[in-house]
Amino acid sequence: MAEAELTTTLTGGRARRWRPPPDVALAWGITVAVLGLLVVLPLSAVVLTARHAGLGGILRSVSSPIALAALGLSFGGALVSAALNAVMGTVVAWTLVRYEFPGRALVNAVVDLPFALPTAVAGITLSELFSPRGWAGTLGLRFSYTPLGVLLAMTFVSLPFVVRAVQPVLEGVEREVEEAAASLGATPWQTFTRVVLPSLRPAVLTGLALSFARAIGEYGSVVIISGNIPMRTLTAPVLIFERLEQYDTVGATAVATVMLVVSVATLLAVGLLQRWGRHDAA
């Protein structure tokens, strides 16, 4: 009530509705337009295209053995690669932040190589390296045209997301807190798990979500190293492309819709975990 009287007094006895400043309105307008045109509209088109087949048609398209195997490999491989990256990326970020060593700048630059390297080049490189005739293949590490090769490609392209999410947060962690824990008798492992890790948990979850999203949609490197063997190494993105080549638009959009729904649900779940992690860290 007092706020209403104050507003009336300041506006000369006439209550006025608050309006955002022009710069705020312009920023919101650009944001809504960009997200609507580049994100919401294309995704809505996918769902609407799949809707023409009806629920029965969608279920038939995604419940075939080939589609189920492809979806399982894509989501399972992406989840495993994201979990591996959460561990390895945190270790890499810790090494880059806490240790000084020759070539540190070079290692820091190499982390971003999967961002800049075309995925087809990554696929060719990994395929040749782990083929029976490759350097690693001659040592018994023959991952080309196997599910492990798919997992390797997913892990390769999505590793930088965890490193770059954890690194700036780790740089902001005060060393005095760790020194205080050590002075109280905590071991290095206890200091990391009970003092440092709670602060890093939201960043690790963010990197994990980004890594999962990147891996699940990987096409360029996977299509080369996997060999696209149905029921074995065929992934969902490659299956979508193959169905489009066969003019099976409904089948392709049905698989795409399932990937969209599961991906959104996963990211929402990770977002809730992030809020939980920040709450615990606070």
Side-chain angles (χ1 to χ4, degrees), residues 31-50:
T31 301
V32 172
V34 170
L35 293 179
L37 291 175
L38 299 182
V39 180
V40 177
L41 186 59
L43 296 181
S44 301
V46 171
V47 176
L48 291 175
T49 303

Side-chain angles (χ1 to χ4, degrees), residues 58-93:
I58 295 176
L59 292 177
R60 284 192 299 271
S61 297
V62 300
S63 61
S64 65
I66 293 179
L68 290 176
L71 289 169
L73 179 59
S74 292
F75 286 109
L79 186 60
V80 172
S81 68
L84 291 174
N85 284 334
V87 177
M88 296 187 299
T90 302
V91 173
V92 172

Side-chain angles (χ1 to χ4, degrees), residues 46 49-50 243-244 246-255:
V46 171
T49 303
R243 288 189 172 182
L244 288 175
Q246 300 167 2
Y247 301 100
D248 184 9
T249 305
V250 173
T253 52
V255 176

Side-chain angles (χ1 to χ4, degrees), residues 178-189:
E178 301 175 46
E179 294 172 357
S183 65
L184 294 174
T187 63
W189 177 250

Side-chain angles (χ1 to χ4, degrees), residues 97-98 170 172-180:
V97 172
R98 293 301 173 88
L170 188 58
V173 175
E174 297 180 358
R175 298 293 296 271
E176 290 79 5
V177 179
E178 301 175 46
E179 294 172 357

Side-chain angles (χ1 to χ4, degrees), residues 104-267:
R104 178 174 174 270
L106 178 62
V107 174
N108 190 48
V110 170
V111 170
D112 292 328
L113 188 59
F115 284 149
L117 190 68
T119 55
V121 176
I124 293 173
T125 303
L126 294 174
S127 179
E128 290 297 324
L129 179 63
F130 293 98
S131 68
R133 296 173 298 178
W135 295 345
T138 56
L139 299 176
L141 302 176
R142 301 176 180 179
F143 297 153
S144 296
Y145 315 123
T146 67
L148 284 177
V150 175
L151 177 62
L152 181 64
M154 290 181 174
T155 305
F156 174 81
V157 300
S158 56
L159 175 64
F161 289 97
V162 178
V163 179
R164 294 314 183 204
V166 174
Q167 190 173 359
V169 178
L170 188 58
E171 290 174 347
V173 175
E174 297 180 358
R175 298 293 296 271
E176 290 79 5
V177 179
E178 301 175 46
E179 294 172 357
S183 65
L184 294 174
T187 63
W189 177 250
Q190 290 175 329
T191 301
F192 176 76
T193 55
R194 299 184 181 182
V195 178
V196 179
L197 188 58
S199 301
L200 298 180
R201 189 182 295 126
V204 173
L205 290 174
T206 299
L208 188 146
L210 294 175
S211 178
F212 176 82
R214 178 67 181 86
I216 199 174
E218 175 56 21
Y219 176 85
S221 61
V222 169
V223 74
I224 297 175
I225 195 174
S226 68
N228 310 317
I229 306 172
M231 307 294 297
R232 178 172 169 80
T233 61
L234 182 66
T235 61
V238 181
L239 176 62
I240 292 172
F241 183 76
E242 289 185 353
R243 288 189 172 182
L244 288 175
E245 282 190 324
Q246 300 167 2
Y247 301 100
D248 184 9
T249 305
V250 173
T253 52
V255 176
T257 301
V258 173
M259 293 187 67
L260 173 62
V261 172
V262 176
S263 299
V264 171
T266 303
L267 293 178

